[in-house]
Each structure stands twice: as C-alpha cells, then as structure tokens.
Amino acid sequence: MKKHLLSASIAILCFSSLPAQAVTYISAKAMLDVENGTLIQSPLITIDDGVITSIERNKKPKLGKNDELINLPQLTLVPGLMDMHVHLTSDPTVSRSERLGQSIPRMAVKSAYFAKKTLEAGFTTVRNVGADGYSVIAVRDGINAGDIVGPRIWAAGPSLGITGGHCDNNRLPPELKYTSTGVADGPWAVRTKVRENIKYGANAIKFCATGGVFSKGTKVGVQQYSLEEMKAIVEEAHMRDLPVAAHAHGTSGIKTAIIAGVDSVEHASFLDDEAIALAKKHGTWLSMDIYNTEYTLSFGEQNGVDEENLNKERQVSKKQRDSFSRAVKAGVNMVFGTDAAIYPHGDNAKQFSRMVEFGMTELQAIQSATINSAKLLKMHNKLGQIKTGYAADIIAVEGNPLKNISTLEQIQFVMKAGIVYKTEK
C-alpha cells in the first residue's frame, strides 16, 4: 500500500514540475465580428495551442512566466482571409510557352515561394484549384509539417478535363502525343481520375465544364463535359467528402454543373436568370474573379499572353462583372476567389474593392472571404471568425475595413493557428 502511495506521489510531483503551457494574448484597438458586422472595441483575445479560448473587452491579462502579450493599439483585428481560387504554381510574368519547359520540381519551388507571399498578404487559407504533378499537394504537406511557410491549402490535383479542352494542353504538336494528367473522357474514366487524385493526396477536386480564357483553341462559353460525366465526378468526390469546383464560363456549362451537384462554380461569367435561380435553389457557391481582367488587359501583352487569349478576356470581362452584380442582387451564395496567378500572388486583396464597386457591401465582401469560404470548405465551426473555439487565424489592419475596404490591401499583422508570421509595429 505504501509503495503505491509513493508511486502516486512521485507521479504528481513529476507532473506538477512540468512547465505550464505558454498562453498568447492579443489586445488591439478593435476587432471585426464578421458574422454581425460590428466592431468590438478594445478586445483581449486569449490563445492556447493555436486556438482562441476567450475574447474579453477592456481587460488586462495576468501574464504567466512564459506567456506573451501582443499589443496592437492602433490596429483592427480581422479573421484570416480565405481565397477559394488560386494557382500557386503559376507566375503571370512568365509566358505560357516558357512554362512548357518547367519541371514539376520547379513548379513546387515556385508554389512554396508564392504560398509565403499569399500568407503574408493576410490569406491564411486558400484552395488551389489544379496543378500539375501533385506539386501543390507536396507544398501543402510541407507547410503542415512545418518545413515551409504558407497558408492552409485545400489542394486539387490535376484538373479534370476532356481531350482537347480547357484543362488539356493544346500548345504542343500532335507528334509529341502529349495529354495533360487530368484528362479523362466518359463517366468511368472521370471516376478513375477522381480516385487517382485522391490517392495522391487531393483534398479538393476541380474540373473544367467549359472552355476558358487562357487555353488554346477552346471557345470560352462552350460546354465540355456532359451532365453524365459531371455527375460521375461529383458523386465520386462527395463519397469521399471532398468539395468539387467546376470551371465554367458559359451558361449551359454553369447550369449543368449546378444540376450535377458541384459545390462551387468558378468564374460564372455568362449567367442568365435560370442559372441564377438554379444556384439559389441548389445553394451553389459562385467564385467570380472580377479583378484580374484589369491586370490581363493592362499587362498581358508584355507578359507574353497570346492575342487569342487577350481577345477572349475582352469578351468575358464586362459580361462577368454584369453577372456578378446580378448574382449579388439576387442573393446567390458567393465566396472570394481571385484566380491569383492570372495576376500576381500577394495582390489577392485587390479584388475586394471591385466586389464593392460592382454591388457588394464591404461586409458582404469580407464575409465572402471569411465565413462563406469556411462554409464552402465545411470548416465553418473552426475557421472564418475570431471566435472562441476557432483557430487563431487573425490579421490586423489600420482603420476600419467596413468603411474603407482597401485597408485589406495593406496587412500589418498575420497570425495563423496562433503563430505570428508578419508584424509591422
């Protein structure tokens, strides 16, 4: 009996001698509640092991020996931003023909570089919708392991597409017999390709439902996959609980993708009333990249963009913005997606002002990049808000973004999961 008591006493002593886990506190001028659209003055946020454990007002923390107080008295706290449409492997200043010579390892290195820039711009979570060779999946895993710095990544593998479609590579001569990794035709072939992407680590799926602006030889509005093929892709991905994104500019492709059950439609350039009604009925999220047209038409030629692609951008730009305004007015679900890579990574937040210009309130634009994007990823109980029990993804800006949305283009402080990656005091 004495022996057991002695053992228990030793165990208690050993446990009590362990150092207390450090707690981080953040105080600031104000904090944005993105759910209610209100500013909370003088918040004090407590963070333990990367998670927000309490939020108080007008309090001073009682610091333990290893605790840390981050004091940002002139700044407003905002939840870490989320971009649901990026391509971290691509650089808009490198021509499409030059990219043909880039190896998969080179793409992975570029992705790591752009991931860091994206995080420092205040985007703590992104969805990478397609990359060759599973390169961004490797970068995601490196970030998760702590090898490199970057945002949380939902990474699709190679984008699925038809032979000769937008997600194929049509820039090489036929004698090379090259087909992009994600190409699959027919319902069982696309199921196989989804399974292959999942096998190699994809936690999102993306397919091309129509032609696109930057591919060669495709008409931007023409549907590519059939309803049967799209249903097969969605069903296979949803069985594994992966979100599905459909690239779709054209009206018929948008409608077919929505009917097939996709989680989000990317670009959604040519919406009609029926497409808007379908999106509302099915709760489909639209991700509409309405800023990048300005960069493409201003700098595309000097960056080596072909005239065919510039001409397609001219066809799309105004139509897409009109569609965006109509979708916002109708109350369609919207998330923040920029197609970063068409314009420079790190400039993601420049889209916010255009979303406001073309119909959103400042709060709606911020919600698209926080609580809405978290809902799309089915992470709305962990991400997208500064709230007890949520991941400590917190950024800070000067001023009130509800009055001047462009403040989100100048991020002063970035924290992801309780770790500070940028601070400008």
Side-chain angles (χ1 to χ4, degrees):
M1 186 70 170
K2 289 181 180 179
K3 184 178 180 182
H4 290 307
L5 287 171
L6 181 61
S7 298
S9 298
I10 292 170
I12 291 169
L13 286 169
C14 289
F15 182 78
S16 63
S17 66
L18 292 173
Q21 187 168 337
V23 173
T24 301
Y25 298 91
I26 303 178
S27 65
K29 179 180 180 181
M31 180 194 93
L32 177 59
D33 180 335
V34 294
E35 194 168 33
N36 299 317
T38 57
L39 279 185
I40 297 171
Q41 301 298 321
S42 303
L44 177 68
I45 300 170
T46 306
I47 299 161
D48 192 350
D49 196 24
V51 175
I52 298 167
T53 57
S54 73
I55 301 172
E56 300 174 283
R57 292 184 60 185
N58 299 309
K59 293 276 189 176
K60 290 186 177 180
K62 295 180 181 179
L63 296 176
K65 182 179 178 181
N66 298 311
D67 294 345
E68 179 186 12
L69 172 62
I70 299 170
N71 189 23
L72 305 171
Q74 303 302 318
L75 302 183
T76 299
L77 305 180
V78 179
L81 302 172
M82 307 170 78
D83 190 335
M84 294 295 97
H85 191 123
V86 303
H87 295 281
L88 292 171
T89 52
S90 296
D91 182 344
T93 65
V94 177
S95 69
R96 301 270 158 170
S97 58
E98 188 178 338
R99 292 181 205 177
L100 290 175
Q102 289 185 349
S103 66
I104 300 302
R106 182 71 181 98
M107 290 181 187
V109 171
K110 274 188 170 288
S111 294
Y113 173 72
F114 290 136
K116 185 173 184 290
K117 287 194 72 169
T118 301
L119 178 62
E120 290 173 347
F123 287 82
T124 53
T125 300
V126 299
R127 185 176 57 161
N128 196 88
V129 282
D132 291 337
Y134 306 97
S135 48
V136 175
I137 291 172
V139 171
R140 177 202 67 197
D141 292 348
I143 292 168
N144 292 346
D147 301 330
I148 53 178
V149 169
R152 278 185 200 79
I153 299 177
W154 266 254
S159 298
L160 277 64
I162 66 167
T163 298
H166 179 63
C167 288
D168 199 358
N169 187 332
N170 304 325
R171 296 177 184 275
L172 295 170
E175 56 267 27
L176 293 181
K177 298 180 180 179
Y178 180 83
T179 298
S180 291
T181 311
V183 168
D185 300 304
W188 280 108
V190 297
R191 283 183 182 273
T192 300
K193 192 59 65 174
V194 171
R195 292 171 183 176
E196 185 178 282
N197 277 7
I198 295 170
K199 174 182 178 179
Y200 293 116
N203 56 348
I205 297 295
K206 187 265 190 85
F207 70 89
C208 288
T210 74
V213 170
F214 283 90
S215 52
K216 181 179 179 181
T218 70
K219 292 184 178 179
V220 72
V222 173
Q223 183 175 330
Q224 295 187 346
Y225 271 130
S226 68
L227 175 59
E228 187 180 13
E229 289 168 312
M230 292 189 205
K231 280 185 173 179
I233 293 169
V234 172
E235 183 179 305
E236 195 66 42
H238 282 179
M239 281 197 296
R240 305 286 284 275
D241 204 28
L242 270 64
V244 181
H247 159 106
H249 285 283
T251 311
S252 65
I254 293 168
K255 294 176 186 177
T256 305
I258 292 171
I259 293 167
V262 299
D263 299 282
S264 67
V265 175
E266 313 301 303
H267 313 299
S269 298
F270 302 113
L271 293 172
D272 64 10
D273 290 342
E274 183 184 12
I276 289 172
L278 278 170
K280 289 193 70 175
K281 177 183 176 181
H282 290 264
T284 310
W285 297 94
L286 300 186
S287 169
M288 301 180 71
D289 48 328
I290 61 167
Y291 169 75
N292 63 32
T293 183
E294 296 172 37
Y295 182 87
T296 298
L297 296 180
S298 296
F299 300 100
E301 185 175 357
Q302 73 181 54
N303 289 342
V305 177
D306 294 338
E307 181 57 32
E308 174 194 355
N309 307 116
L310 292 173
N311 187 49
K312 286 195 281 187
E313 183 61 58
R314 295 183 192 106
Q315 295 171 30
V316 166
S317 57
K318 186 179 186 304
K319 291 285 189 182
Q320 188 190 36
R321 288 175 165 187
D322 290 344
S323 291
F324 176 85
S325 297
R326 290 173 58 232
V328 171
K329 187 175 181 180
V332 177
N333 288 340
M334 306 284 280
V335 293
F336 188 90
T338 64
D339 212 355
I342 302 302
Y343 69 103
H345 296 282
D347 285 351
N348 310 58
K350 288 184 176 181
Q351 179 164 287
F352 282 113
S353 63
R354 302 309 185 272
M355 296 172 88
V356 171
E357 179 181 349
F358 292 100
M360 282 188 169
T361 65
E362 286 82 356
L363 178 61
Q364 285 176 319
I366 294 168
Q367 287 175 333
S368 76
T370 52
I371 56 177
N372 289 5
S373 290
K375 287 176 183 176
L376 169 59
L377 297 176
K378 298 180 181 178
M379 295 295 290
H380 50 285
N381 292 324
K382 295 181 180 178
L383 301 177
Q385 297 186 59
I386 302 175
K387 192 173 183 179
T388 301
Y390 281 58
D393 291 1
I394 300 169
I395 64 172
V397 297
E398 291 183 352
N400 181 357
L402 294 177
K403 292 184 177 179
N404 180 6
I405 196 72
S406 295
T407 60
L408 294 174
E409 296 175 22
Q410 300 294 328
I411 304 299
Q412 307 296 313
F413 172 87
V414 176
M415 169 183 280
K416 187 190 83 172
I419 298 174
V420 176
Y421 290 93
K422 178 180 180 179
T423 182
E424 296 180 4
K425 294 184 179 179

